[in-house]
Amino acid sequence: MKTVLSGIRPTGSLHLGNYYGAIINFINMQEKYNCYFFIADWHSLTTHPDPKTLHVNVSGVLSEYLACGLDPKKSTIYIQSSIPEIAELYLLLNMHAYLGELEKTVSFKEKARQNPQNINAGLLTYPVLMATDILIHNADFVPVGKDQEQHLEMTRNFAARFNHKYGVEYFKMPAAYIHGEDELIKIPGLDGSGKMGKSEGNCVYLLDEPKTVEKKVKGALTDNGPEGENTQKPDCIENLFSILRAVSTPEVVKHYEGLWDRGEQRWYGSLKSQLAEDIIKVTNPIRERINDIRNDTKYLARTVEEGAVKARESASKTLRDIREIMGFKPF
Ligand code: TYM
C-alpha cells in the first residue's frame, strides 16, 4: 500500500488554499492509502510564536482537520513535536545538506528579505526538516500546493544523495500529489495578487461565517471588464476564475468563461455572488462540525495520543535502519 503524508503549520485558522492544496485530496485517499497527517509545530517556531498561543493554534488546526473529514480510524494524525525520531533524523540529514543549496531556496530568500532581523538557522534548514517529515515514513505521495514544490524537489535531492552516499536504495523519491492535473494547485488571494496566505491577509477562512465570505468576495478587486473578445484576463480576474475552478462545477466555470471570451460587460456582480455561494457550500459543513469537535477535548487528546503511537512505530523503524546504514552500532 502506498504511503501519503501531508503537514501544515499551526499558525492560525485554515484557509481555502490549505484546503485545496493539502486537505481535499487527503479526504478521499484515506481508504486507499496509508495516510499520515501531522501538524508541523516545530516548523512554526521559525517565527517564535508566543508560548501562550502555540497550543491553542495546534489544537485549532487539529479540530479543523477533523472537521474537514480526516478520520483518526483510517489515518494517522499526530503532532510533529511528539515524534522525537524526527528531530534525530533531521540532525543526521542536516550533515548532508549544503549551505549553498539552502541559501538558494526561494522560501528562505523571501522570508529573509521580509524579516532581515530574524534569519535563524531553523529557517535556513527548514527544507531539511520538511524532508525529514516525509522521509521518516518513506512517503510515496505528498499532497501540497504549488508553494511547496521546491521543498519537494529538495526532499528528492536529499533522499537521492543519501542513497548514493551510502550505496543503498533506502529512501523512495516522494512525488508531490497532483490534484488530478499536471500542475500543483495555487489558490490565489482576493486582492488581485499572489497566493492566498495568512501573512498576506487575503484569505477566506474555512470557519468564516457566510456573511463574511460574501463580504470578502464582494470586496475582491476587479477591473472594468473585458476590452474585447478573447482577451487575456488581468491577474485580479484570473484569480477569481482560479478560485471558481476549485469550488464550482465545470458548467458554472464555462458559463463565466463564455461571458469573458465574448467580451460581455456587467456580470462581475453575478460572478461574485456565484463564487461566494459555492465557497459557502464547501465551508458550511466544516464550520457546522467544528464546535462539537473543538469542545471534545478528550477526543482530541485520544486522537493525537493514538496517532503518536502509530507514527512513532513507523518513524523508529526508519531511524533504526538509517542509524545502521550510517554505521552506528550498539556496544
Ligand atoms: P503551510 O502550513 O504554509 O501550508 C499547508 C499546506 O497548504 C498549502 N497551501 C496552499 N495550496 C494552494 N494554494 C494556496 N494559496 C496555499 N496556501 C497554502 C501548502 O502548499 C501546504 O501543502 N512547510 C509546510 C508544512 C510542512 C509539510 C511537511 C507539508 C512541514 N512538513 C511535509 C508537507 C510535507 C508549510 O509551511 O505549509
Side-chain angles (χ1 to χ4, degrees):
M1 197 188 240
K2 299 271 188 206
T3 297
V4 180
L5 170 134
S6 178
I8 183 147
R9 275 171 309 144
T11 48
S13 299
L14 303 186
H15 53 74
L16 275 187
N18 298 136
Y19 186 68
Y20 282 95
I23 306 177
I24 188 163
N25 299 315
F26 225 98
I27 304 300
N28 308 323
M29 284 178 165
Q30 295 180 90
E31 272 99 22
K32 283 199 295 200
Y33 296 93
N34 180 22
C35 289
Y36 290 94
F37 167 71
F38 75 99
I39 298 177
D41 53 351
W42 278 333
H43 273 106
S44 74
L45 297 184
T46 55
T47 51
H48 309 152
D50 182 345
K52 289 192 204 79
T53 58
L54 182 64
H55 181 76
V56 177
N57 282 340
V58 170
S59 167
V61 172
L62 175 66
S63 311
E64 287 185 46
Y65 263 109
L66 293 168
C68 287
L70 282 184
D71 182 348
K73 290 199 196 76
K74 299 177 187 159
S75 296
T76 303
I77 302 169
Y78 61 96
I79 314 292
Q80 186 184 36
S81 61
S82 357
I83 317 295
E85 289 79 7
I86 295 174
E88 186 175 335
L89 183 60
Y90 170 54
L91 182 149
L92 299 176
L93 290 182
N94 264 326
M95 306 303 161
H96 297 287
Y98 293 94
L99 184 62
E101 62 188 337
L102 296 172
E103 276 178 338
K104 269 195 265 158
T105 314
V106 174
S107 59
F108 173 74
K109 286 198 291 191
E110 222 173 83
K111 297 266 155 56
R113 193 166 27 83
Q114 286 161 355
N115 280 307
Q117 76 297 346
N118 184 29
I119 310 177
N120 58 60
L123 192 63
L124 184 71
T125 57
Y126 187 104
V128 187
L129 182 55
M130 183 155 159
T132 307
D133 292 326
I134 298 167
L135 298 176
I136 198 118
H137 301 299
N138 234 334
D140 297 278
F141 300 117
V142 187
V144 282
K146 180 104 187 128
D147 59 324
Q148 299 296 323
E149 199 168 28
Q150 191 184 26
H151 290 151
L152 250 292
E153 182 70 47
M154 292 175 81
T155 302
R156 285 190 289 272
N157 288 343
F158 296 142
R161 189 178 297 157
F162 182 93
N163 287 350
H164 181 72
K165 168 85 191 161
Y166 295 101
V168 291
E169 287 199 21
Y170 188 79
F171 287 128
K172 296 181 197 162
M173 298 299 125
Y177 181 78
I178 295 162
H179 187 69
E181 326 221 343
D182 2 332
E183 270 289 304
L184 289 183
I185 192 161
K186 174 175 137 187
I187 298 288
L190 288 173
D191 53 356
S193 66
K195 68 161 186 167
M196 184 175 285
K198 276 162 243 165
S199 42
E200 282 79 5
N202 57 10
C203 297
V204 174
Y205 293 100
L206 300 183
L207 301 186
D208 277 345
E209 295 288 333
K211 284 254 159 328
T212 311
V213 175
E214 278 162 15
K215 199 165 152 221
K216 284 183 178 175
V217 175
K218 217 167 168 190
L221 192 75
T222 47
D223 66 348
N224 294 328
E227 282 173 7
E229 286 179 27
N230 297 314
T231 54
Q232 203 185 343
K233 300 184 192 83
D235 286 349
C236 60
I237 303 302
E238 181 51 39
N239 283 1
L240 294 183
F241 272 90
S242 293
I243 306 178
L244 194 74
R245 282 182 211 112
V247 298
S248 301
T249 62
E251 292 72 42
V252 167
V253 177
K254 200 165 154 211
H255 169 71
Y256 288 102
E257 290 278 12
L259 292 174
W260 175 271
D261 288 343
R262 293 192 295 278
E264 293 188 27
Q265 299 293 324
R266 305 193 149 279
W267 46 273
Y268 286 166
S270 147
L271 169 71
K272 286 180 170 181
S273 307
Q274 180 76 48
L275 185 58
E277 188 183 319
D278 291 339
I279 291 175
I280 292 165
K281 265 192 217 145
V282 172
T283 56
N284 240 359
I286 300 171
R287 203 172 37 80
E288 281 167 3
R289 283 195 291 264
I290 192 77
N291 275 337
D292 285 346
I293 294 177
R294 204 160 30 195
N295 295 329
D296 194 346
T297 48
K298 280 203 184 115
Y299 174 53
L300 296 180
R302 200 173 59 239
T303 297
V304 291
E305 265 166 40
E306 290 173 4
V309 171
K310 283 198 270 173
R312 287 196 73 183
E313 229 172 81
S314 149
S316 53
K317 184 194 169 302
T318 306
L319 194 57
R320 256 197 321 274
D321 294 344
I322 295 303
R323 283 165 143 258
E324 196 180 315
I325 290 168
M326 292 181 77
F328 291 94
K329 286 198 170 39
F331 276 89

